[in-house]
Amino acid sequence: MGIIELNDIYTAYEGGDKPVIRGLSLCVDPGEYVVIGGPNSAGKTTLLESINGLIKITHGSAMVCGLDLRRHGNAVRKKVGYVVQNFYFDPFTPFTVEEVVLMGRYGRLGLLKRPSKEDFEAASKAIQLVGIEDLAHKTIGTLSGGQQQKAMIAHNIAKEPEVMMLDEPFSNLDFHAREYLQGIFKQVVRSGTPILMVSHAFDGLPDIRIHLVVMNKGRIIYDRECDSKDVESIIRKECAVNEDARISH
Amino acid sequence: MLEFLIENNVVCRAVEAMVFASIACSILGVIISRMNLSSIGFTMSHAAFAGAAIGMYLETSAQIAAIFFSMAVAALIGPVSDKAKMAADATLGVLFAMSMAVAIFLISYLQNMGRGLSAGSLLFGNVVSLYREEIYALLLVSAITVIFVLAFYKEISSIMFNMKIAEASGIRVKVVYYILLFIIALSVSLTLNIVGGLLIFVLIVTPASIASQFCFNVKSMFMAAPLVAISVSAFGVWAGFKYTLPIPPLVALLLTGVFAISVILSFKRRINYKKY
Ligand SMILES: Nc1ncnc2c1ncn2[C@@H]1O[C@H](COP(=O)(O)OP(=O)(O)O)[C@@H](O)[C@H]1O
Ligand SMILES: [Mg+2]
């Protein structure tokens, strides 16, 4: 049984005239590295936010981490890591990187519980793993975009999630940082935690089998395993074919 | 409670009232300003004001009516603004205008009927003739505020960092948010007749703004804001009695003065010109 099982789901935004995700089905197994590609506004971000219940599914069934998403959204979010695409922390945000990374543990702790030694250890391990020890005591809003992205990745690694979702995590990172983080993601996948990664940068993909999902207009148009070096060319081809199909109509 | 420090009973109660009101309002203010909820605080304080006017009109307790009315407004604000949509701002504007209209309508009406005098304290506050029960109520609400922040520190700090990231990490953002709205409503309506509807906002916003000039860390902001508020308002009460000045506006002016000084002295605006 897959760790994510979406069956013919629909997702709509309040006030939107039609659903953004339309009849989408997807199954993700433990240890898979899923790359989600596709043109802008294909619905990639919306898909990720449907999987952790930030956006309500209006139709269809979804099981995530063995839980019915429509009934246990909050419990699912405790188990699913999510690095959001767009964030902005103003320079006066009164939190250090260390505190922000520790916050990754807060959801799982539940109400009224204080973080324990174990939580602090998980946070400092995540900071080391991502390689931002030197930033730990800096205020998060004063860092560069790429450094903030690393902090948010550490926040989610500290969470020790059962599924890790990342939405264009490389948009502000140089190629060195991309390759370094891809190495970490390879370890995460090896340990059995699947990764769902929305990205347009495929140069540093780890040399493992990739579960490639290509989206267009709220639907999945390609859903197969492939070699990491073929990811970019397949996405190009699928999107081009689809464009032709649209024009010929 | 502070009789051992201050002999004069009236002064003592005034100090106690201002201190407890300062604790509750300034701590909530730290959360409110970080979350850009200032307009909610503003709306809520005017809702309490309208509630108190309704209480006077009905000849029941102004304070209890203020609590009920501002709770009702909090219940309306919640569902609309918890999604942080554009529309929330407009809704707050409507509720604010409605509250002011209700309050002014009733106060003018009561004045025409020759019952208008007591409304003055709602507008301008009154620290001179306070009942013991009012002090206890303020003590209770400042205790509730402190306990709320300590008990939900994880949740509150995550939400102050970023609502969406807090929700994605599995925090029940809405529950905490609703509790916060109700505590704001409670604090505001109990503080109303002490500092007055027009100045209550000063106690919420200014200490937090002063603290944010010097603190880089949310924990120190939660300590600094109430400390500033307590010392300024205690000083204000003392100076007000000594020189027979109206206390709430005096405290408001003092806080604003401290804010101005803190902006000038702020660490955060200091640029390091040293070459390394
Ligand atoms: N908050 C929102 N309200 C209404 N429509 C939205 C919202 N967010 C995204 N959309 C719409 O959903 C579609 C998919 O967006 P998104 O999932 O962000 O695409 P992608 O991440 O693939 O670029 C877009 O057409 C966009 O306009
Ligand atoms: Mg996107």
Side-chain angles (χ1 to χ4, degrees):
Chain A
M1 197 180 112
I3 197 158
I4 297 175
E5 286 182 1
L6 308 178
N7 202 340
D8 194 28
I9 63 161
Y10 286 72
T11 307
Y13 286 99
E14 271 171 52
D17 50 352
K18 56 181 183 207
V20 171
I21 301 284
R22 293 176 287 159
L24 183 150
S25 303
L26 176 69
C27 181
V28 175
D29 290 320
E32 277 193 310
Y33 192 121
V34 185
V35 169
I36 302 170
N40 293 327
S41 85
K44 305 180 294 295
T45 301
T46 309
L47 172 61
L48 294 189
E49 296 193 359
S50 305
I51 289 173
N52 70 2
L54 283 179
I55 304 173
K56 294 243 161 5
I57 290 171
T58 53
H59 179 270
S61 69
M63 296 289 288
V64 180
C65 302
L67 293 164
D68 181 354
L69 179 60
R70 296 178 81 162
R71 256 188 275 151
H72 305 285
N74 203 60
V76 167
R77 283 191 286 281
K78 291 181 183 183
K79 295 166 180 252
V80 177
Y82 177 42
V83 178
V84 300
Q85 176 179 18
N86 296 311
F87 50 78
Y88 170 73
F89 309 128
D90 70 84
F92 299 126
T93 311
F95 297 99
T96 62
V97 169
E98 199 173 33
E99 286 169 316
V100 169
V101 174
L102 185 67
M103 281 178 195
R105 309 285 294 179
Y106 284 180
R108 338 177 338 152
L109 278 174
L111 287 178
L112 302 179
K113 296 240 173 58
R114 304 210 150 253
S116 65
K117 203 172 142 229
E118 192 190 333
D119 298 306
F120 284 102
E121 275 169 13
S124 67
K125 247 172 68 184
I127 286 174
Q128 273 171 26
L129 190 65
V130 177
I132 49 173
E133 295 97 321
D134 50 331
L135 306 176
H137 300 289
K138 292 231 165 101
T139 312
I140 186 142
T142 61
L143 305 182
S144 75
Q147 290 171 324
Q148 289 180 359
Q149 246 164 355
K150 286 185 191 168
M152 290 321 298
I153 290 170
H155 166 102
N156 281 284
I157 286 176
K159 187 174 178 179
E160 295 175 351
E162 290 176 28
V163 175
M164 178 74 102
M165 308 198 295
L166 304 107
D167 199 352
E168 305 196 20
F170 301 137
S171 50
N172 288 313
L173 295 173
D174 57 54
F175 67 89
H176 176 76
R178 287 211 289 268
E179 273 166 20
Y180 182 72
L181 288 172
Q182 287 286 16
I184 295 171
F185 298 150
K186 190 173 165 180
Q187 288 174 39
V188 171
V189 169
R190 281 256 172 81
S191 74
T193 306
I195 283 183
L196 277 76
M197 159 105 59
V198 172
S199 186
H200 301 294
F202 308 110
D203 44 343
L205 273 181
D207 189 18
I208 51 176
R209 294 295 285 175
I210 301 290
H211 176 169
L212 178 59
V213 171
V214 184
M215 288 186 72
N216 193 17
K217 299 196 185 81
R219 294 204 174 87
I220 290 179
I221 54 172
Y222 183 96
D223 181 2
R224 239 171 285 167
E225 247 190 40
C226 73
D227 226 57
S228 62
K229 62 180 191 308
D230 299 331
V231 166
E232 184 156 353
S233 59
I234 294 175
I235 293 176
R236 273 179 198 279
K237 205 177 89 202
E238 287 301 320
C239 292
V241 165
N242 217 268
E243 198 69 8
D244 291 347
R246 196 174 62 86
I247 290 163
S248 69
H249 274 176
Chain B
M1 274 152 269
L2 298 174
E3 289 86 357
F4 64 95
L5 270 176
I6 306 161
E7 271 174 38
N8 184 320
N9 221 331
V10 175
V11 181
C12 181
R13 279 194 191 163
V15 170
E16 286 167 355
M18 287 302 287
V19 164
F20 295 141
S22 298
I23 295 174
C25 290
S26 61
I27 290 179
L28 292 171
V30 171
I31 306 175
I32 289 173
S33 10
R34 183 71 226 154
M35 289 174 71
N36 291 327
L37 294 180
S38 295
S39 45
I40 288 186
F42 198 64
T43 306
M44 215 89 99
S45 57
H46 290 83
F49 184 49
I54 293 175
M56 286 187 167
Y57 172 72
L58 298 175
E59 293 181 0
T60 56
S61 157
Q63 221 157 37
I64 295 191
I67 295 174
F68 269 105
F69 198 74
S70 50
M71 289 279 181
V73 168
L76 280 178
I77 292 174
V80 184
S81 67
D82 62 0
K83 298 200 170 117
K85 292 253 170 67
M86 265 291 291
D89 213 41
T91 314
L92 287 172
V94 171
L95 289 172
F96 160 70
M98 181 271 290
S99 300
M100 273 322 265
V102 168
I104 295 169
F105 186 91
L106 288 177
I107 288 170
S108 312
Y109 179 76
L110 288 173
Q111 256 162 2
N112 289 343
M113 306 288 288
R115 293 204 279 141
L117 276 178
S118 51
S121 76
L122 287 185
L123 270 175
F124 307 118
N126 172 12
V127 290
V128 182
S129 53
L130 293 171
Y131 294 109
R132 185 172 290 260
E133 291 74 25
E134 289 176 294
I135 311 285
Y136 287 144
L138 282 170
L139 172 63
L140 183 70
V141 81
S142 61
I144 290 176
T145 309
V146 172
I147 291 169
F148 170 67
V149 171
L150 290 177
F152 291 94
Y153 179 73
K154 286 199 321 286
E155 288 75 15
I156 294 169
S157 59
S158 300
I159 293 172
M160 285 169 78
F161 171 55
N162 185 300
M163 278 269 228
K164 184 171 181 179
I165 293 172
E167 191 174 8
S169 75
I171 280 175
R172 291 191 180 274
V173 169
K174 278 186 193 155
V175 176
V176 179
Y177 189 77
Y178 278 74
I179 298 176
L180 174 67
L181 287 185
F182 282 109
I183 294 182
I184 296 174
L186 192 64
S187 308
V188 163
S189 40
L190 286 174
T191 317
L192 185 71
N193 63 334
I194 296 163
V195 290
L198 297 179
L199 292 180
I200 198 168
F201 205 54
V202 157
L203 275 190
I204 294 179
V205 171
T206 317
S209 313
I210 295 168
S212 76
Q213 295 299 313
F214 294 102
C215 303
F216 292 90
N217 180 286
V218 75
K219 278 186 185 142
S220 51
M221 281 168 76
F222 276 126
M223 308 288 283
L227 276 180
V228 169
I230 289 170
S231 19
V232 172
S233 53
F235 176 76
V237 174
W238 172 80
F241 276 108
K242 182 149 170 110
Y243 302 104
T244 25
L245 298 169
I247 291 168
L250 178 63
V251 170
L253 288 174
L254 286 172
L255 276 172
T256 313
V258 174
F259 174 70
I261 295 169
S262 72
V263 169
I264 295 166
L265 296 182
S266 167
F267 304 147
K268 288 188 180 172
R269 267 163 246 278
R270 226 172 261 170
I271 296 170
N272 200 340
Y273 291 107
K274 247 191 283 175
K275 277 187 190 166
Y276 288 100

